[in-house]
C-alpha cells in the first residue's frame, strides 16, 4: 500500500536537546559536532559555496530537523553571487511537529534567524508537497511521504544531494535500488 505520513515522527529527547527517533532508534544529530559535521560532509563535500550559481538545486533524503538545509541556506546567503537563487528539496516520511522542530533547532543559536523562519512556515504532517518561501532567494519544497515515491514525481535536475547517515540496519527503506535509480535519473 501507499505510505502516507499524516503523522508526526515519534521521538524522545536525549540530554534535553537531542531528538531521537523511536521508530528507528536513531538520534537526529550529534549535539557535540552536528553543525560541524554538516559543514564538512554536506557543504564541503559538495564543494559549496564555490558551486553556488543561479538556479542551484539541492535535494536531501530525510529532512529530519532541517539542520543540513539551514546550514546550506546560511552558506548560500553568505556566499552566493547576487541574483542567484537556491531551491531546496527534501523528503520526509515522518515529519517532526512544529514544537519538536523548534525545540531541536534551539540547540543551534547561530542559526536562530533561519530556524525561526522555517518554524513559522512549518506545515502539518499531511502527505504531499509543501512549498515554503524561506526568503526572497531561497525556496524549500518539503515532500512528505515515501522517499522513492516522492522522487519518482520530481521534474528537473538536482545539482547536489544531501544523503544523511542512515544505517541500513536502522532504516532499510533508504537503501533500495529503486531509490538510487530515482536519484540517478534526477542528477
Amino acid at each position: 500500500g501507499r505510505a502516507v505520513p499524516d503523522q508526526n515522527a515519534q521521538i524522545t529527547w536525549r540530554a534535553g536537546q537531542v531528538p531521537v527517533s523511536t521508530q528507528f532508534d536513531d538520534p537526529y544529530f550529534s549535539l557535540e559536532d552536528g553543525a560541524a559535521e554538516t559543514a564538512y560532509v554536506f557543504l564541503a563535500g559538495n564543494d559549496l559555496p564555490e558551486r553556488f550559481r543561479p538556479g542551484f538545486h539541492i535535494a536531501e533524503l530525510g529532512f529530519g530537523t532541517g539542520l543540513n538545509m539551514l546550514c546550506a541556506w546560511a552558506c548560500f546567503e553568505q556566499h552566493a553571487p547576487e541574483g542567484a537563487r537556491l531551491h531546496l528539496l527534501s523528503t520526509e516520511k515522518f515529519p517532526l511537529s512544529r514544537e519538536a522542530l523548534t525545540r531541536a533547532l534551539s540547540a543551534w543559536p547561530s542559526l536562530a534567524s533561519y530556524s525561526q523562519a522555517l518554524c513559522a512556515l512549518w506545515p502539518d504532517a499531511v502527505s504531499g508537497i509543501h512549498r515554503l518561501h524561506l526568503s526572497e532567494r531561497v525556496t524549500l519544497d518539503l515532500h512528505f511521504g515515501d522517499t522513492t515515491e516522492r522522487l519518482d514525481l520530481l521534474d528537473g535536475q538536482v545539482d547536489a544531494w544531501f544523503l544523511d547517515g542512515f544505517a541500513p540496519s536502522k532504516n532499510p527503506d533508504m537503501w533500495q535500488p529503486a531509490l538510487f535509480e530515482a536519484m540517478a535519473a534526477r542528477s
Side-chain angles (χ1 to χ4, degrees), residues 146-185:
D146 177 78
T147 294
T148 304
E149 287 180 13
R150 303 313 309 170
L151 290 186
D152 281 342
L153 299 173
L154 278 190
D155 288 326
Q157 297 299 111
V158 171
D159 298 298
W161 289 93
F162 287 2
L163 307 178
D164 219 331
F166 302 106
S169 60
K170 304 254 186 194
N171 192 351
D173 286 350
M174 298 304 281
W175 293 86
Q176 301 295 325
L179 175 57
F180 301 132
E181 289 163 14
M183 289 172 53

Side-chain angles (χ1 to χ4, degrees), residues 106-121:
S106 70
W108 315 107
S110 64
L111 295 170
S113 62
Y114 301 101
S115 301
Q116 288 163 6
L118 172 66
C119 292
L121 297 170

